[in-house]
Amino acid sequence: MADLAVQRGGAQRRPIEHVPALAPLVGDYEARRRSFTWEAARDWLRGDDEGHLNMAHEAVDRHAEGPLADTVAIRFLSRVAPTTELTYAQLREQSDVAATALRRLGVGPGDGVCTLLPRSPELYLTVLGTLKAGAVYCPLFPAFGPEPVVERLRLGHIRVLVTDTQSYVRKCEPHRDALPDLRHVLLTDVGDAEAPAGTTPWSVALGAGATAYDPSTFTVALTRADDPALLHFTSGTTGKPKGAVHVHEAILAHHVTAEFALDLRPGDVYWCTADPGWVTGTSYGILGPLSCGVTIVTDSADFDARRWYRILQDERVTVFYTAPTALRMLMRAGVGLAREHTFPALRHVVSVGEPLNPEAVVWGVDAFGLPVHDTWWQTETGAIMVSNFPGMPVRPGSMGRPVPGVVAAVLAQGPDGRAAVEGGRVRVLGPDEVGELALRPGWPSMFRAYVDDPERYAKAFADGWYLSGDLARIDADGYVWFIGRADDVIKSAGHLIGPFEVESALMEHPAVAEVGVIGKPDPLAGEIVKAFVTLKVGHEPSPALARELVAFGRHRLGSVAPREIAFDQALPHTRSGKVMRRLLRARELGLPEGDLSTVERPSAQGGEGES
Ligand code: ATP
Ligand code: MG
């Protein structure tokens, strides 16, 4: 695509400000659901009269031209270095420079640029600079080992990698021959003299960009709404990670959902604990919140409950977006620690990534004075699809209701647990019937491809629906209840058992911190339920406690309760914090463990980076 020139601040730009100010959703969900359409929203957003649209412009530049220019866009917290900040105006200029630097390296539309970095300014500038150059940004978890790094660089045909020396030397350099597409490696922590062969210091590349940069002539790439912008690999919970491609107009969904579901608005101080290595850390760690004009705080330290409460308190965080696994770690640290702090500014606590046990929702009230609101979405959906909206009564255990503009349904299952497609048709189920959760395509952040895998992409759709691979039911009021991933559901003595229900029930026992449940083959029942249990501090595994948990489960759940309990203080998680039930099952049954590229090492859970 030609990199056509539009002068900075050109009159033809019509930025997102044209989205009519959306009042908070309180009590207003139904009206908004009826009146909202993506088609109308697309009209608000169109970047210029010819339909060009660039994510980075929408997220940052338009604020830099308005009253938010001097507002802090990102505040970088660190355990080992002083806090630094970038205002919207600085972020615009520095990302222009990063784009100029990338262009000077020959990076252009469609090229892949990857980061393997902690949450540092270089990471954010690379994301925005890449988008402004019209290239495709692909994040990697900094804690990935060599194999997952090389695999993703290869699959994504990545042209530029931005990382630090240690990561490069350990994870990439030995495999450089296997990466013919990789032209440039930029290292953020070295000067010219020390850079290993085949690499360029980031400072040198950026310096060249700064020299060449002229704000009066700089142009953001005139990308089209449907041009690729982001490549995100899925978490690999159920198997080999897939590379989902998203396009520039996804920013519209990031923006609208950040406003609807996260309740973000200018003046907010917002903290998203997700690493930008997965989709939450990009959609809601960078693009959505910036498009709403908030101040993002970001922390590069490992999880530490006391530090997290301090940040929430001292930074006066208003909206906090995190994951069930992090909440469970906070719960393990005890509510007393939360009560040593106060959170008068905190307005909204939100969760994503895994089933949010009702226990955690209620605990939020104890710890923060607020229930935790759940949101459901996937790498493939690019943005939140179902949410317990602010102001809407929370039903603990439910993921909430579809985002305005999103049509969700539950489809009848076939024998493999996925939606049954007969003669190209599916059957939509009624209230409270369990089946595969499906969405009507058409929202802007829908993935447009699995990289190099068109067949798999085609299989994700049937009869005009996107098939999520998750099982759910939708109640008569439209609340969506998660049952489990289609692959994780247990079939026991004629019952279909969702692991979430069993795990949530066991979580109510005072000794239990976390649970992963699997089906174990059984000659009589087909499968029996086995639970792997992590205990809270102060509780020891014992046969007596195992018996007590079995009885506790039976009392709550009846016949679907676990028959076997194993204690495990280090349940396997993905790096995005999900319990890997497929791995528990494979280990239990002595089966091959499959793709392990995204397994988290237990000690690094919940955070990355500094030591
Ligand atoms: P892979 O597709 O590689 O197996 P993954 O599905 O875990 O990995 P992601 O796209 O990061 O990769 O995660 C999306 C999945 O996470 C959803 O399909 C769902 O199973 C789970 N999930 C996300 N949010 C929620 C939620 N609020 N409640 C229950 N499950 C959730
Ligand atoms: Mg998935």
Side-chain angles (χ1 to χ4, degrees), residues 114 116 138-156 170-171 175 179 233 240-241 575 595-599 601:
C114 242
L116 183 64
C138 172
L140 296 180
F141 274 104
F144 270 155
E147 238 177 77
V149 167
V150 172
E151 178 74 348
R152 285 162 181 73
L153 292 175
R154 202 180 52 75
L155 282 172
R170 211 167 68 73
K171 303 172 186 175
H175 310 278
L179 298 168
F233 287 94
K240 206 171 164 52
R575 294 205 178 277
D595 187 293
L596 298 183
S597 62
T598 59
V599 182
R601 306 291 152 232

PDB file of all heavy atoms in Angstrom, residues 114 116 138-156 170-171 175 179 233 240-241 575 595-599 601:
ATOM      1  N   CYS A 114       8.403  -7.139  16.118  1.00  0.00           N
ATOM      2  CA  CYS A 114       8.137  -7.824  17.387  1.00  0.00           C
ATOM      3  C   CYS A 114       8.870  -7.149  18.529  1.00  0.00           C
ATOM      4  O   CYS A 114       9.981  -6.640  18.336  1.00  0.00           O
ATOM      5  CB  CYS A 114       8.737  -9.227  17.282  1.00  0.00           C
ATOM      6  SG  CYS A 114       7.567 -10.526  17.414  1.00  0.00           S
ATOM      7  N   LEU A 116      10.315  -8.125  22.495  1.00  0.00           N
ATOM      8  CA  LEU A 116      10.549  -9.116  23.544  1.00  0.00           C
ATOM      9  C   LEU A 116      11.140  -8.286  24.677  1.00  0.00           C
ATOM     10  O   LEU A 116      12.351  -8.227  24.866  1.00  0.00           O
ATOM     11  CB  LEU A 116      11.544 -10.155  23.016  1.00  0.00           C
ATOM     12  CG  LEU A 116      11.907 -11.337  23.889  1.00  0.00           C
ATOM     13  CD1 LEU A 116      10.697 -12.222  24.143  1.00  0.00           C
ATOM     14  CD2 LEU A 116      13.017 -12.165  23.235  1.00  0.00           C
ATOM     15  N   CYS A 138       3.665  -7.261  16.708  1.00  0.00           N
ATOM     16  CA  CYS A 138       3.434  -8.579  17.324  1.00  0.00           C
ATOM     17  C   CYS A 138       4.173  -8.639  18.659  1.00  0.00           C
ATOM     18  O   CYS A 138       5.403  -8.599  18.682  1.00  0.00           O
ATOM     19  CB  CYS A 138       3.965  -9.664  16.387  1.00  0.00           C
ATOM     20  SG  CYS A 138       3.959 -11.302  17.128  1.00  0.00           S
ATOM     21  N   PRO A 139       3.442  -8.720  19.782  1.00  0.00           N
ATOM     22  CA  PRO A 139       4.120  -8.777  21.084  1.00  0.00           C
ATOM     23  C   PRO A 139       4.530 -10.196  21.456  1.00  0.00           C
ATOM     24  O   PRO A 139       3.853 -11.150  21.089  1.00  0.00           O
ATOM     25  CB  PRO A 139       3.039  -8.281  22.042  1.00  0.00           C
ATOM     26  CG  PRO A 139       1.751  -8.658  21.400  1.00  0.00           C
ATOM     27  CD  PRO A 139       1.981  -8.719  19.914  1.00  0.00           C
ATOM     28  N   LEU A 140       5.628 -10.308  22.177  1.00  0.00           N
ATOM     29  CA  LEU A 140       6.032 -11.602  22.751  1.00  0.00           C
ATOM     30  C   LEU A 140       6.244 -11.413  24.247  1.00  0.00           C
ATOM     31  O   LEU A 140       6.720 -10.355  24.681  1.00  0.00           O
ATOM     32  CB  LEU A 140       7.344 -12.082  22.135  1.00  0.00           C
ATOM     33  CG  LEU A 140       7.343 -12.401  20.645  1.00  0.00           C
ATOM     34  CD1 LEU A 140       8.731 -12.866  20.213  1.00  0.00           C
ATOM     35  CD2 LEU A 140       6.311 -13.476  20.323  1.00  0.00           C
ATOM     36  N   PHE A 141       5.925 -12.444  25.018  1.00  0.00           N
ATOM     37  CA  PHE A 141       6.198 -12.380  26.456  1.00  0.00           C
ATOM     38  C   PHE A 141       7.699 -12.339  26.690  1.00  0.00           C
ATOM     39  O   PHE A 141       8.420 -13.197  26.156  1.00  0.00           O
ATOM     40  CB  PHE A 141       5.679 -13.639  27.147  1.00  0.00           C
ATOM     41  CG  PHE A 141       4.254 -13.560  27.526  1.00  0.00           C
ATOM     42  CD1 PHE A 141       3.301 -14.225  26.787  1.00  0.00           C
ATOM     43  CD2 PHE A 141       3.859 -12.826  28.633  1.00  0.00           C
ATOM     44  CE1 PHE A 141       1.972 -14.158  27.135  1.00  0.00           C
ATOM     45  CE2 PHE A 141       2.528 -12.763  28.987  1.00  0.00           C
ATOM     46  CZ  PHE A 141       1.581 -13.418  28.240  1.00  0.00           C
ATOM     47  N   PRO A 142       8.183 -11.400  27.496  1.00  0.00           N
ATOM     48  CA  PRO A 142       9.629 -11.341  27.722  1.00  0.00           C
ATOM     49  C   PRO A 142      10.169 -12.600  28.392  1.00  0.00           C
ATOM     50  O   PRO A 142      11.337 -12.931  28.228  1.00  0.00           O
ATOM     51  CB  PRO A 142       9.809 -10.129  28.636  1.00  0.00           C
ATOM     52  CG  PRO A 142       8.455  -9.777  29.141  1.00  0.00           C
ATOM     53  CD  PRO A 142       7.460 -10.334  28.186  1.00  0.00           C
ATOM     54  N   ALA A 143       9.316 -13.328  29.100  1.00  0.00           N
ATOM     55  CA  ALA A 143       9.804 -14.525  29.790  1.00  0.00           C
ATOM     56  C   ALA A 143       9.759 -15.777  28.913  1.00  0.00           C
ATOM     57  O   ALA A 143      10.121 -16.854  29.363  1.00  0.00           O
ATOM     58  CB  ALA A 143       8.997 -14.750  31.068  1.00  0.00           C
ATOM     59  N   PHE A 144       9.335 -15.662  27.669  1.00  0.00           N
ATOM     60  CA  PHE A 144       9.372 -16.818  26.775  1.00  0.00           C
ATOM     61  C   PHE A 144      10.797 -17.349  26.654  1.00  0.00           C
ATOM     62  O   PHE A 144      11.753 -16.573  26.612  1.00  0.00           O
ATOM     63  CB  PHE A 144       8.940 -16.411  25.362  1.00  0.00           C
ATOM     64  CG  PHE A 144       7.462 -16.522  25.097  1.00  0.00           C
ATOM     65  CD1 PHE A 144       6.888 -15.736  24.108  1.00  0.00           C
ATOM     66  CD2 PHE A 144       6.656 -17.399  25.789  1.00  0.00           C
ATOM     67  CE1 PHE A 144       5.528 -15.819  23.828  1.00  0.00           C
ATOM     68  CE2 PHE A 144       5.298 -17.501  25.514  1.00  0.00           C
ATOM     69  CZ  PHE A 144       4.736 -16.709  24.541  1.00  0.00           C
ATOM     70  N   GLY A 145      10.917 -18.665  26.541  1.00  0.00           N
ATOM     71  CA  GLY A 145      12.223 -19.263  26.275  1.00  0.00           C
ATOM     72  C   GLY A 145      12.536 -19.217  24.785  1.00  0.00           C
ATOM     73  O   GLY A 145      11.725 -18.731  23.989  1.00  0.00           O
ATOM     74  N   PRO A 146      13.733 -19.742  24.394  1.00  0.00           N
ATOM     75  CA  PRO A 146      14.156 -19.639  22.994  1.00  0.00           C
ATOM     76  C   PRO A 146      13.151 -20.245  22.006  1.00  0.00           C
ATOM     77  O   PRO A 146      12.869 -19.654  20.973  1.00  0.00           O
ATOM     78  CB  PRO A 146      15.467 -20.425  22.957  1.00  0.00           C
ATOM     79  CG  PRO A 146      15.897 -20.572  24.364  1.00  0.00           C
ATOM     80  CD  PRO A 146      14.721 -20.392  25.249  1.00  0.00           C
ATOM     81  N   GLU A 147      12.598 -21.421  22.358  1.00  0.00           N
ATOM     82  CA  GLU A 147      11.736 -22.094  21.385  1.00  0.00           C
ATOM     83  C   GLU A 147      10.499 -21.282  20.999  1.00  0.00           C
ATOM     84  O   GLU A 147      10.259 -21.034  19.813  1.00  0.00           O
ATOM     85  CB  GLU A 147      11.313 -23.442  21.931  1.00  0.00           C
ATOM     86  CG  GLU A 147      11.719 -24.561  21.020  1.00  0.00           C
ATOM     87  CD  GLU A 147      11.343 -25.875  21.643  1.00  0.00           C
ATOM     88  OE1 GLU A 147      10.152 -26.203  21.584  1.00  0.00           O
ATOM     89  OE2 GLU A 147      12.242 -26.529  22.208  1.00  0.00           O
ATOM     90  N   PRO A 148       9.706 -20.865  21.994  1.00  0.00           N
ATOM     91  CA  PRO A 148       8.525 -20.072  21.612  1.00  0.00           C
ATOM     92  C   PRO A 148       8.880 -18.776  20.903  1.00  0.00           C
ATOM     93  O   PRO A 148       8.147 -18.341  20.015  1.00  0.00           O
ATOM     94  CB  PRO A 148       7.821 -19.787  22.940  1.00  0.00           C
ATOM     95  CG  PRO A 148       8.689 -20.291  24.024  1.00  0.00           C
ATOM     96  CD  PRO A 148       9.703 -21.200  23.428  1.00  0.00           C
ATOM     97  N   VAL A 149      10.014 -18.181  21.260  1.00  0.00           N
ATOM     98  CA  VAL A 149      10.400 -16.935  20.593  1.00  0.00           C
ATOM     99  C   VAL A 149      10.667 -17.212  19.121  1.00  0.00           C
ATOM    100  O   VAL A 149      10.089 -16.566  18.230  1.00  0.00           O
ATOM    101  CB  VAL A 149      11.650 -16.307  21.269  1.00  0.00           C
ATOM    102  CG1 VAL A 149      12.235 -15.203  20.400  1.00  0.00           C
ATOM    103  CG2 VAL A 149      11.304 -15.790  22.660  1.00  0.00           C
ATOM    104  N   VAL A 150      11.520 -18.203  18.852  1.00  0.00           N
ATOM    105  CA  VAL A 150      11.910 -18.488  17.469  1.00  0.00           C
ATOM    106  C   VAL A 150      10.692 -18.917  16.654  1.00  0.00           C
ATOM    107  O   VAL A 150      10.483 -18.479  15.521  1.00  0.00           O
ATOM    108  CB  VAL A 150      13.023 -19.565  17.439  1.00  0.00           C
ATOM    109  CG1 VAL A 150      13.299 -20.028  16.018  1.00  0.00           C
ATOM    110  CG2 VAL A 150      14.281 -19.006  18.082  1.00  0.00           C
ATOM    111  N   GLU A 151       9.863 -19.759  17.271  1.00  0.00           N
ATOM    112  CA  GLU A 151       8.675 -20.255  16.574  1.00  0.00           C
ATOM    113  C   GLU A 151       7.776 -19.099  16.130  1.00  0.00           C
ATOM    114  O   GLU A 151       7.290 -19.047  15.000  1.00  0.00           O
ATOM    115  CB  GLU A 151       7.917 -21.186  17.545  1.00  0.00           C
ATOM    116  CG  GLU A 151       6.632 -21.759  17.022  1.00  0.00           C
ATOM    117  CD  GLU A 151       6.844 -22.865  15.993  1.00  0.00           C
ATOM    118  OE1 GLU A 151       7.982 -23.021  15.535  1.00  0.00           O
ATOM    119  OE2 GLU A 151       5.855 -23.540  15.656  1.00  0.00           O
ATOM    120  N   ARG A 152       7.558 -18.135  17.016  1.00  0.00           N
ATOM    121  CA  ARG A 152       6.664 -17.023  16.684  1.00  0.00           C
ATOM    122  C   ARG A 152       7.314 -16.049  15.696  1.00  0.00           C
ATOM    123  O   ARG A 152       6.641 -15.500  14.825  1.00  0.00           O
ATOM    124  CB  ARG A 152       6.212 -16.312  17.964  1.00  0.00           C
ATOM    125  CG  ARG A 152       5.167 -17.138  18.721  1.00  0.00           C
ATOM    126  CD  ARG A 152       5.030 -16.689  20.166  1.00  0.00           C
ATOM    127  NE  ARG A 152       4.053 -17.485  20.889  1.00  0.00           N
ATOM    128  CZ  ARG A 152       4.245 -18.758  21.284  1.00  0.00           C
ATOM    129  NH1 ARG A 152       5.389 -19.374  21.013  1.00  0.00           N
ATOM    130  NH2 ARG A 152       3.300 -19.408  21.937  1.00  0.00           N
ATOM    131  N   LEU A 153       8.630 -15.829  15.838  1.00  0.00           N
ATOM    132  CA  LEU A 153       9.314 -14.960  14.866  1.00  0.00           C
ATOM    133  C   LEU A 153       9.194 -15.569  13.468  1.00  0.00           C
ATOM    134  O   LEU A 153       8.976 -14.870  12.484  1.00  0.00           O
ATOM    135  CB  LEU A 153      10.791 -14.791  15.226  1.00  0.00           C
ATOM    136  CG  LEU A 153      11.107 -14.000  16.510  1.00  0.00           C
ATOM    137  CD1 LEU A 153      12.610 -14.029  16.795  1.00  0.00           C
ATOM    138  CD2 LEU A 153      10.630 -12.550  16.401  1.00  0.00           C
ATOM    139  N   ARG A 154       9.299 -16.884  13.432  1.00  0.00           N
ATOM    140  CA  ARG A 154       9.245 -17.585  12.147  1.00  0.00           C
ATOM    141  C   ARG A 154       7.821 -17.543  11.576  1.00  0.00           C
ATOM    142  O   ARG A 154       7.605 -17.142  10.447  1.00  0.00           O
ATOM    143  CB  ARG A 154       9.690 -19.030  12.365  1.00  0.00           C
ATOM    144  CG  ARG A 154      10.204 -19.754  11.130  1.00  0.00           C
ATOM    145  CD  ARG A 154      10.622 -21.178  11.482  1.00  0.00           C
ATOM    146  NE  ARG A 154       9.564 -21.906  12.185  1.00  0.00           N
ATOM    147  CZ  ARG A 154       8.473 -22.397  11.621  1.00  0.00           C
ATOM    148  NH1 ARG A 154       8.273 -22.229  10.336  1.00  0.00           N
ATOM    149  NH2 ARG A 154       7.572 -23.041  12.335  1.00  0.00           N
ATOM    150  N   LEU A 155       6.854 -17.944  12.417  1.00  0.00           N
ATOM    151  CA  LEU A 155       5.462 -17.981  11.950  1.00  0.00           C
ATOM    152  C   LEU A 155       4.979 -16.607  11.493  1.00  0.00           C
ATOM    153  O   LEU A 155       4.217 -16.487  10.546  1.00  0.00           O
ATOM    154  CB  LEU A 155       4.537 -18.462  13.079  1.00  0.00           C
ATOM    155  CG  LEU A 155       4.521 -19.957  13.367  1.00  0.00           C
ATOM    156  CD1 LEU A 155       3.711 -20.238  14.620  1.00  0.00           C
ATOM    157  CD2 LEU A 155       3.923 -20.705  12.176  1.00  0.00           C
ATOM    158  N   GLY A 156       5.420 -15.566  12.195  1.00  0.00           N
ATOM    159  CA  GLY A 156       4.953 -14.211  11.895  1.00  0.00           C
ATOM    160  C   GLY A 156       5.771 -13.528  10.801  1.00  0.00           C
ATOM    161  O   GLY A 156       5.510 -12.371  10.487  1.00  0.00           O
ATOM    162  N   ARG A 170      20.475 -15.242  24.316  1.00  0.00           N
ATOM    163  CA  ARG A 170      19.985 -16.539  24.780  1.00  0.00           C
ATOM    164  C   ARG A 170      18.906 -17.119  23.860  1.00  0.00           C
ATOM    165  O   ARG A 170      18.857 -18.309  23.623  1.00  0.00           O
ATOM    166  CB  ARG A 170      19.423 -16.365  26.196  1.00  0.00           C
ATOM    167  CG  ARG A 170      19.579 -17.603  27.062  1.00  0.00           C
ATOM    168  CD  ARG A 170      19.313 -17.292  28.500  1.00  0.00           C
ATOM    169  NE  ARG A 170      17.917 -16.968  28.766  1.00  0.00           N
ATOM    170  CZ  ARG A 170      16.940 -17.851  28.775  1.00  0.00           C
ATOM    171  NH1 ARG A 170      17.187 -19.111  28.505  1.00  0.00           N
ATOM    172  NH2 ARG A 170      15.701 -17.475  29.037  1.00  0.00           N
ATOM    173  N   LYS A 171      18.023 -16.241  23.367  1.00  0.00           N
ATOM    174  CA  LYS A 171      16.796 -16.768  22.747  1.00  0.00           C
ATOM    175  C   LYS A 171      16.749 -16.647  21.232  1.00  0.00           C
ATOM    176  O   LYS A 171      15.883 -17.216  20.599  1.00  0.00           O
ATOM    177  CB  LYS A 171      15.573 -16.052  23.331  1.00  0.00           C
ATOM    178  CG  LYS A 171      15.493 -16.190  24.852  1.00  0.00           C
ATOM    179  CD  LYS A 171      14.412 -15.331  25.440  1.00  0.00           C
ATOM    180  CE  LYS A 171      14.433 -15.370  26.954  1.00  0.00           C
ATOM    181  NZ  LYS A 171      13.474 -14.459  27.558  1.00  0.00           N
ATOM    182  N   HIS A 175      19.691 -19.052  16.742  1.00  0.00           N
ATOM    183  CA  HIS A 175      18.746 -19.562  15.728  1.00  0.00           C
ATOM    184  C   HIS A 175      18.586 -18.595  14.559  1.00  0.00           C
ATOM    185  O   HIS A 175      17.662 -18.709  13.776  1.00  0.00           O
ATOM    186  CB  HIS A 175      17.378 -19.803  16.368  1.00  0.00           C
ATOM    187  CG  HIS A 175      17.474 -20.601  17.626  1.00  0.00           C
ATOM    188  ND1 HIS A 175      17.573 -21.960  17.620  1.00  0.00           N
ATOM    189  CD2 HIS A 175      17.537 -20.216  18.920  1.00  0.00           C
ATOM    190  CE1 HIS A 175      17.676 -22.388  18.871  1.00  0.00           C
ATOM    191  NE2 HIS A 175      17.660 -21.350  19.677  1.00  0.00           N
ATOM    192  N   LEU A 179      15.916 -17.909  10.648  1.00  0.00           N
ATOM    193  CA  LEU A 179      14.975 -16.784  10.577  1.00  0.00           C
ATOM    194  C   LEU A 179      15.344 -15.858   9.422  1.00  0.00           C
ATOM    195  O   LEU A 179      15.806 -14.729   9.636  1.00  0.00           O
ATOM    196  CB  LEU A 179      14.995 -16.007  11.909  1.00  0.00           C
ATOM    197  CG  LEU A 179      14.564 -16.809  13.139  1.00  0.00           C
ATOM    198  CD1 LEU A 179      14.894 -16.054  14.424  1.00  0.00           C
ATOM    199  CD2 LEU A 179      13.066 -17.105  13.078  1.00  0.00           C
ATOM    200  N   PHE A 233      -0.555 -13.951  19.200  1.00  0.00           N
ATOM    201  CA  PHE A 233      -0.633 -15.400  19.379  1.00  0.00           C
ATOM    202  C   PHE A 233      -1.541 -15.703  20.569  1.00  0.00           C
ATOM    203  O   PHE A 233      -1.501 -15.008  21.584  1.00  0.00           O
ATOM    204  CB  PHE A 233       0.765 -15.988  19.561  1.00  0.00           C
ATOM    205  CG  PHE A 233       1.530 -15.990  18.274  1.00  0.00           C
ATOM    206  CD1 PHE A 233       2.386 -14.946  17.943  1.00  0.00           C
ATOM    207  CD2 PHE A 233       1.347 -17.012  17.362  1.00  0.00           C
ATOM    208  CE1 PHE A 233       3.061 -14.927  16.727  1.00  0.00           C
ATOM    209  CE2 PHE A 233       2.011 -17.009  16.144  1.00  0.00           C
ATOM    210  CZ  PHE A 233       2.868 -15.972  15.826  1.00  0.00           C
ATOM    211  N   LYS A 240      -1.376 -25.845  20.431  1.00  0.00           N
ATOM    212  CA  LYS A 240      -0.379 -24.972  19.819  1.00  0.00           C
ATOM    213  C   LYS A 240      -0.965 -23.577  19.627  1.00  0.00           C
ATOM    214  O   LYS A 240      -2.084 -23.446  19.133  1.00  0.00           O
ATOM    215  CB  LYS A 240      -0.045 -25.570  18.458  1.00  0.00           C
ATOM    216  CG  LYS A 240       1.303 -25.247  17.941  1.00  0.00           C
ATOM    217  CD  LYS A 240       1.548 -26.110  16.691  1.00  0.00           C
ATOM    218  CE  LYS A 240       2.707 -25.584  15.894  1.00  0.00           C
ATOM    219  NZ  LYS A 240       3.920 -25.378  16.677  1.00  0.00           N
ATOM    220  N   PRO A 241      -0.233 -22.532  20.028  1.00  0.00           N
ATOM    221  CA  PRO A 241      -0.782 -21.184  19.849  1.00  0.00           C
ATOM    222  C   PRO A 241      -1.014 -20.841  18.382  1.00  0.00           C
ATOM    223  O   PRO A 241      -0.268 -21.265  17.507  1.00  0.00           O
ATOM    224  CB  PRO A 241       0.307 -20.278  20.428  1.00  0.00           C
ATOM    225  CG  PRO A 241       1.163 -21.161  21.238  1.00  0.00           C
ATOM    226  CD  PRO A 241       1.074 -22.534  20.656  1.00  0.00           C
ATOM    227  N   ARG A 575       1.275 -18.322  30.498  1.00  0.00           N
ATOM    228  CA  ARG A 575       1.847 -17.030  30.881  1.00  0.00           C
ATOM    229  C   ARG A 575       0.784 -15.958  31.025  1.00  0.00           C
ATOM    230  O   ARG A 575       0.999 -14.942  31.655  1.00  0.00           O
ATOM    231  CB  ARG A 575       2.882 -16.585  29.854  1.00  0.00           C
ATOM    232  CG  ARG A 575       4.048 -17.488  29.844  1.00  0.00           C
ATOM    233  CD  ARG A 575       5.308 -16.844  29.356  1.00  0.00           C
ATOM    234  NE  ARG A 575       6.356 -17.838  29.448  1.00  0.00           N
ATOM    235  CZ  ARG A 575       7.028 -18.105  30.549  1.00  0.00           C
ATOM    236  NH1 ARG A 575       6.810 -17.425  31.638  1.00  0.00           N
ATOM    237  NH2 ARG A 575       7.943 -19.045  30.572  1.00  0.00           N
ATOM    238  N   ASP A 595       2.226 -28.980  23.265  1.00  0.00           N
ATOM    239  CA  ASP A 595       2.960 -27.712  23.159  1.00  0.00           C
ATOM    240  C   ASP A 595       3.054 -27.047  24.529  1.00  0.00           C
ATOM    241  O   ASP A 595       2.053 -26.724  25.149  1.00  0.00           O
ATOM    242  CB  ASP A 595       2.238 -26.789  22.176  1.00  0.00           C
ATOM    243  CG  ASP A 595       3.052 -25.545  21.906  1.00  0.00           C
ATOM    244  OD1 ASP A 595       3.234 -24.731  22.834  1.00  0.00           O
ATOM    245  OD2 ASP A 595       3.526 -25.388  20.777  1.00  0.00           O
ATOM    246  N   LEU A 596       4.291 -26.853  25.005  1.00  0.00           N
ATOM    247  CA  LEU A 596       4.480 -26.280  26.349  1.00  0.00           C
ATOM    248  C   LEU A 596       5.068 -24.871  26.277  1.00  0.00           C
ATOM    249  O   LEU A 596       5.552 -24.339  27.266  1.00  0.00           O
ATOM    250  CB  LEU A 596       5.426 -27.171  27.166  1.00  0.00           C
ATOM    251  CG  LEU A 596       4.926 -28.591  27.423  1.00  0.00           C
ATOM    252  CD1 LEU A 596       5.919 -29.346  28.296  1.00  0.00           C
ATOM    253  CD2 LEU A 596       3.564 -28.561  28.117  1.00  0.00           C
ATOM    254  N   SER A 597       5.013 -24.269  25.081  1.00  0.00           N
ATOM    255  CA  SER A 597       5.733 -23.004  24.908  1.00  0.00           C
ATOM    256  C   SER A 597       5.199 -21.898  25.789  1.00  0.00           C
ATOM    257  O   SER A 597       5.902 -20.955  26.107  1.00  0.00           O
ATOM    258  CB  SER A 597       5.685 -22.576  23.442  1.00  0.00           C
ATOM    259  OG  SER A 597       4.351 -22.361  23.037  1.00  0.00           O
ATOM    260  N   THR A 598       3.952 -22.001  26.214  1.00  0.00           N
ATOM    261  CA  THR A 598       3.401 -20.879  26.991  1.00  0.00           C
ATOM    262  C   THR A 598       3.274 -21.189  28.478  1.00  0.00           C
ATOM    263  O   THR A 598       2.666 -20.440  29.214  1.00  0.00           O
ATOM    264  CB  THR A 598       2.018 -20.477  26.450  1.00  0.00           C
ATOM    265  OG1 THR A 598       1.160 -21.614  26.530  1.00  0.00           O
ATOM    266  CG2 THR A 598       2.088 -19.977  25.027  1.00  0.00           C
ATOM    267  N   VAL A 599       3.876 -22.294  28.939  1.00  0.00           N
ATOM    268  CA  VAL A 599       3.752 -22.621  30.370  1.00  0.00           C
ATOM    269  C   VAL A 599       4.539 -21.615  31.205  1.00  0.00           C
ATOM    270  O   VAL A 599       5.690 -21.307  30.908  1.00  0.00           O
ATOM    271  CB  VAL A 599       4.287 -24.035  30.679  1.00  0.00           C
ATOM    272  CG1 VAL A 599       4.096 -24.359  32.157  1.00  0.00           C
ATOM    273  CG2 VAL A 599       3.594 -25.059  29.836  1.00  0.00           C
ATOM    274  N   ARG A 601       6.532 -20.459  34.501  1.00  0.00           N
ATOM    275  CA  ARG A 601       7.271 -21.047  35.624  1.00  0.00           C
ATOM    276  C   ARG A 601       6.598 -20.552  36.891  1.00  0.00           C
ATOM    277  O   ARG A 601       6.322 -19.355  37.002  1.00  0.00           O
ATOM    278  CB  ARG A 601       8.744 -20.612  35.625  1.00  0.00           C
ATOM    279  CG  ARG A 601       9.449 -20.892  34.320  1.00  0.00           C
ATOM    280  CD  ARG A 601       9.647 -22.391  34.084  1.00  0.00           C
ATOM    281  NE  ARG A 601       9.687 -22.622  32.653  1.00  0.00           N
ATOM    282  CZ  ARG A 601       8.937 -23.506  31.999  1.00  0.00           C
ATOM    283  NH1 ARG A 601       8.100 -24.263  32.642  1.00  0.00           N
ATOM    284  NH2 ARG A 601       9.022 -23.640  30.707  1.00  0.00           N
TER     285      ARG A 601
END
